[in-house]
Amino acid sequence: MAKASNTKTATLAKRFRAFFTTRDFIFHDGRDLKRFSVAGRTQALLAGVAGVTVVFSAYGVAQAAVGAIAISGVTGTPSSPEAQVAQMRDQVEKMQADVTAAKEAARLQAARVEQHQALISATLTGKGDRATIEQSLPNAAGRTSAVATEVLAPLKQVEARQVAMAGKARAAGEARYNQTAGELRRLGLSPERYVQVPAMGGPYEPIDNDNASGSSDASAEAADAQFRALFVTWKKLDMLEQTVISVPSMQPVDRVTFTSQFGVRSDPFRGTAAMHAGVDIPGALGTPIYATADGVISHAGKQGGYGNLVQINHGRGIETRYGHLSKILVEDNTRVKRGQLIGLMGSTGRSTGSHLHYEVRVDGKAVNPIPFLQTGEYLVAVQDRVQGGVGGPATNK
């Protein structure tokens, strides 16, 4: 085997020497002919140098081609470490932007969920933080990253359950509104006067459903419509229940009986027919007198035939008057609560004996106080819920 290899090597060497033999060259420089010889060893050296040059030239061309391809983006591999670092930096910055956007989207979504929960609770219980319910929240971005989608998924599930609850809360709120409105009508008060539907509007802009998130956008729009409807119900109910606070619904004394009722009667001093603007409730001198609703003292002092008079402005055009007092315990322009002690029963002014002259007026016009003294438990319960428990006399059972 070794002999065959040696023979082959000797043959190649012989051919190499035969190829690179000494060669004579004749060169004419324009005047003379010159002859020179190039030895085989020199020819072999020159051929080697030329081969190396060709190899390095090919390598340079190849590297240039690879760089051009990398720059053009045909391949995803950067042409240099610097380019790879730049590419990684761009990726990190994009990830940071996605995380920041996801955090902001989650914050907005959480605020929406909290607001919706406060709205549902307020509609069902009559208690809630108005600032939270009525605050204006910016709209979330229409298109989010995969990171944001993953982060928002649990909050979206909570919101979906809230949407189902919103429909039930709205039905309950409408029922309570109708019941409260009926109680006010029974007293001769118009609920529509005190309730204004929240104003809403703006141009209609349909949802763009040409993208992959079209179905989710439609779901979000449906949820928003549901909560807008619930907000209108809550707002109407809240305005009506705030009006109920102004409605006289308590007895001004512990025990209520009447010696004279509202309407035309025989005047006790003249004996002729005269209008009686309130009811007369008898009692011992010094009997405690209580405010029948929240309000501001608009008059506390003597006034004609009323004698010592306390007049309370309850807002919404409603006021009450407490006449013939032996002592006034409040001052002008002070705020009083339902059930607060305001004076003592007496017989001052145009009076034949110790009693309370009690009036209810709406827009300055006297109305029959008896229905207000018999409001029952419903309006009192509404007032207790809206403003908390208060003192005062016990109502007759």
Side-chain angles (χ1 to χ4, degrees):
M1 187 73 175
K3 184 177 181 180
S5 178
N6 292 335
T7 304
K8 187 175 182 180
T9 301
T11 302
L12 290 175
K14 185 178 181 180
R15 290 180 177 178
F16 183 83
R17 286 193 299 269
F19 186 80
F20 291 102
T21 59
T22 300
R23 288 182 170 82
D24 295 331
F25 295 92
I26 297 175
F27 176 72
H28 191 279
D29 61 357
R31 290 182 303 175
D32 300 321
L33 288 175
K34 294 184 177 180
R35 179 178 178 180
F36 60 92
S37 299
V38 178
R41 185 186 301 270
T42 302
Q43 295 178 43
L45 179 61
L46 293 175
V49 171
V52 170
T53 301
V54 171
V55 169
F56 275 99
S57 298
Y59 177 79
V61 172
Q63 285 292 96
V66 171
I69 293 173
I71 292 173
S72 66
V74 175
T75 65
T77 303
S79 61
S80 67
E82 291 79 5
Q84 292 179 354
V85 170
Q87 186 181 56
M88 291 174 63
R89 185 170 55 247
D90 292 342
Q91 292 174 349
V92 169
E93 290 177 355
K94 183 179 183 302
M95 290 175 63
Q96 289 176 337
D98 288 345
V99 169
T100 300
K103 288 171 62 177
E104 178 64 12
R107 186 187 68 80
L108 292 176
Q109 189 67 27
R112 282 168 53 89
V113 168
E114 181 181 0
Q115 185 180 63
H116 292 165
Q117 192 62 34
L119 178 58
I120 292 171
S121 177
T123 305
L124 292 175
T125 67
K127 298 179 180 180
D129 183 4
R130 289 188 184 85
T132 298
I133 296 173
E134 295 180 335
Q135 69 177 326
S136 178
L137 297 177
N139 294 325
R143 303 172 191 269
T144 57
S145 66
V147 176
T149 300
E150 185 175 352
V151 170
L152 293 177
L155 292 173
K156 292 287 188 181
Q157 293 175 359
V158 173
E159 188 176 44
R161 292 194 294 269
Q162 287 180 329
V163 171
M165 182 62 71
K168 299 177 181 179
R170 182 185 177 195
E174 291 288 353
R176 202 163 83 237
Y177 174 87
N178 292 333
Q179 185 175 1
T180 305
E183 291 290 331
L184 292 181
R185 290 191 184 96
R186 187 179 64 81
L187 299 175
L189 302 175
S190 173
E192 291 74 20
R193 171 185 172 179
Y194 306 108
V195 175
Q196 297 178 350
V197 178
M200 297 181 180
Y204 172 71
E205 295 185 9
I207 301 173
D208 180 12
N209 288 326
D210 293 336
N211 55 70
S213 62
S215 59
S216 62
D217 288 344
S219 298
E221 181 66 19
D224 287 344
Q226 184 77 283
F227 284 108
R228 282 196 299 271
L230 178 60
F231 176 82
V232 171
T233 297
W234 168 78
K235 192 65 177 178
K236 288 168 50 183
L237 182 60
D238 183 63
M239 286 189 286
L240 196 63
E241 290 187 340
Q242 292 301 315
T243 297
V244 170
I245 295 176
S246 301
V247 175
S249 59
M250 292 186 65
Q251 296 178 353
V253 296
D254 285 317
R255 296 181 180 275
V256 174
T257 58
F258 303 107
T259 55
S260 184
Q261 298 200 16
F262 175 83
V264 178
R265 68 170 184 175
S266 176
D267 183 77
F269 289 94
R270 296 186 177 184
T272 59
M275 179 65 188
H276 188 226
V279 293
D280 290 338
I281 304 172
L285 187 68
T287 298
I289 307 298
Y290 302 97
T292 55
D294 287 11
V296 175
I297 304 299
S298 55
H299 179 80
K302 291 184 177 181
Q303 184 169 319
Y306 287 103
N308 289 331
L309 173 70
V310 170
Q311 181 174 307
I312 303 178
N313 179 8
H314 303 286
R316 270 73 169 181
I318 303 173
E319 68 177 25
T320 53
R321 295 180 180 182
Y322 310 78
H324 308 311
L325 302 180
S326 63
K327 189 173 184 179
I328 295 173
L329 302 176
V330 290
E331 297 179 353
D332 287 348
N333 301 317
T334 57
R335 184 172 296 277
V336 295
K337 300 291 289 184
R338 177 171 61 101
Q340 181 175 331
L341 183 65
I342 59 174
L344 302 177
M345 189 180 290
S347 187
T348 58
R350 198 169 183 268
S351 170
T352 61
S354 178
H355 74 285
L356 170 68
H357 174 84
Y358 177 63
E359 291 183 14
V360 175
R361 291 179 176 261
V362 178
D363 295 331
K365 181 180 179 181
V367 298
N368 190 357
I370 292 180
F372 291 87
L373 296 171
Q374 300 172 339
T375 56
E377 297 181 354
Y378 181 76
L379 290 183
V380 173
V382 171
Q383 291 174 331
D384 287 343
R385 181 175 66 246
V386 174
Q387 64 184 145
V390 294
T395 57
N396 290 338
K397 302 295 184 183

